[in-house]
Amino acid sequence: MKTKGYFCSVVGSREQNEDSYLVEDSLGLYAVADGIGGGLKGDVASQMAVDGLRNYRAETDSLKEIFKILQKDILLEATETLGGALMGTTLSCVEIKDKKATICHVGDSRVYFFDGLVLRQLTEDQEFYDEHLRGTVLNSYLGIDSDIHPLKISQETIPVASGQGFLLASDGLFKQMSDMRIVNLIREHLMNPQQIVEKLCDEASHVEHSDNVTVVYVEVTE
């Protein structure tokens, strides 16, 4: 079984892109990370997450353990460079090998599974509604203060087959575009996956007040 990843990342209407991504076909490893809004050095945190995911992969077979290591690394970076100020990132990843896909996730970036027809969300947004702020707030991400909310790492493994695919995205995609529109664009450009990610990013980024948008599409073949 082979995998091929395609990616696109755009700044949207923001001044800086604080998203990062990982596409490692040789490892069958793919990820999207989104620096926490309102925090400092979100771009650094998200890049630390995807770089660390790749680098620590050779040291352990457990994606969950890597996430725990990354939590410590980002907290240490925040302490040493920001005096403990808020610095964090989401991280959602897929590792595909031996006809299985393992999905590991923290935060509100998403992983979707595409079976050739239907798009299904595999991850759950880790957030709650804050009455004071009148909006949703993350209650788990890499870099979170465990005294406020414990880090919650979700993981599952599913079988995969040729012709299927995975879509990983920061919230700048699905908060600007409906799932129906996303799946329609995937179906329209299935023979050219690079167009899938480019079309998704382009459309989402042209919505008024758009966020950073990062999309990775993983194609599974024999």
Side-chain angles (χ1 to χ4, degrees):
M1 178 170 288
K2 297 180 181 179
T3 60
K4 174 68 175 176
Y6 304 84
F7 59 88
C8 184
S9 185
V10 295
V11 69
S13 63
R14 300 296 177 91
E15 294 183 358
Q16 181 179 5
N17 193 342
E18 297 193 334
D19 290 354
S20 298
Y21 57 86
L22 176 67
V23 173
E24 285 286 348
D25 293 328
S26 61
L27 299 175
L29 187 60
Y30 308 91
V32 165
D34 181 356
I36 299 302
L40 302 175
K41 298 175 69 172
D43 57 329
V44 174
S46 66
Q47 194 63 52
M48 285 180 65
V50 297
D51 288 347
L53 179 62
R54 180 186 61 243
N55 296 335
Y56 288 128
R57 194 65 194 90
E59 300 180 15
T60 175
D61 289 333
S62 171
L63 292 175
K64 269 192 174 183
E65 287 304 312
I66 295 175
F67 275 50
K68 292 176 183 178
I69 295 170
L70 294 173
Q71 165 77 343
K72 294 177 182 178
D73 287 351
I74 291 170
L75 284 171
L76 180 61
E77 178 72 14
T79 298
E80 292 183 343
T81 65
L82 300 173
L86 173 63
M87 172 182 172
T89 182
T90 70
L91 181 61
S92 299
C93 76
V94 176
E95 182 178 49
I96 303 170
K97 62 180 181 180
D98 301 327
K99 297 184 178 181
K100 294 180 180 179
T102 300
I103 298 93
C104 200
H105 161 77
V106 61
D108 68 347
S109 296
R110 290 181 181 177
V111 178
Y112 295 86
F113 174 66
F114 183 64
D115 66 3
L117 183 63
V118 176
L119 187 71
R120 177 166 61 94
Q121 184 179 335
L122 297 179
T123 54
E124 181 178 343
D125 300 341
Q126 296 173 338
E127 60 188 16
F128 68 97
Y129 186 82
D130 187 298
E131 293 287 350
H132 178 69
L133 296 175
R134 296 183 179 181
T136 56
V137 178
L138 284 176
N139 59 10
S140 185
Y141 55 85
L142 296 177
I144 195 169
D145 184 347
S146 58
D147 291 336
I148 300 175
H149 289 288
L151 179 68
K152 298 183 294 183
I153 305 168
S154 64
Q155 181 173 306
E156 69 170 315
T157 300
I158 64 172
V160 292
S162 178
Q164 297 174 338
F166 293 86
L167 181 75
L168 295 81
S170 61
D171 66 352
L173 176 71
F174 51 83
K175 287 186 176 179
Q176 313 288 355
M177 190 181 299
S178 69
D179 284 358
M180 182 58 69
R181 181 58 181 158
I182 293 172
V183 74
N184 284 341
L185 282 173
I186 293 175
R187 292 169 180 165
E188 288 174 20
H189 302 284
L190 197 56
M191 300 307 294
N192 188 342
Q194 185 59 39
Q195 284 194 4
I196 292 175
V197 296
E198 291 175 1
K199 293 288 186 180
L200 288 171
C201 283
D202 181 67
E203 187 165 318
S205 67
H206 280 87
V207 175
E208 188 177 9
H209 307 304
S210 63
D211 198 353
N212 304 149
V213 187
T214 299
V215 180
V216 172
Y217 185 79
V218 185
E219 182 182 53
V220 181
T221 60
E222 291 292 354

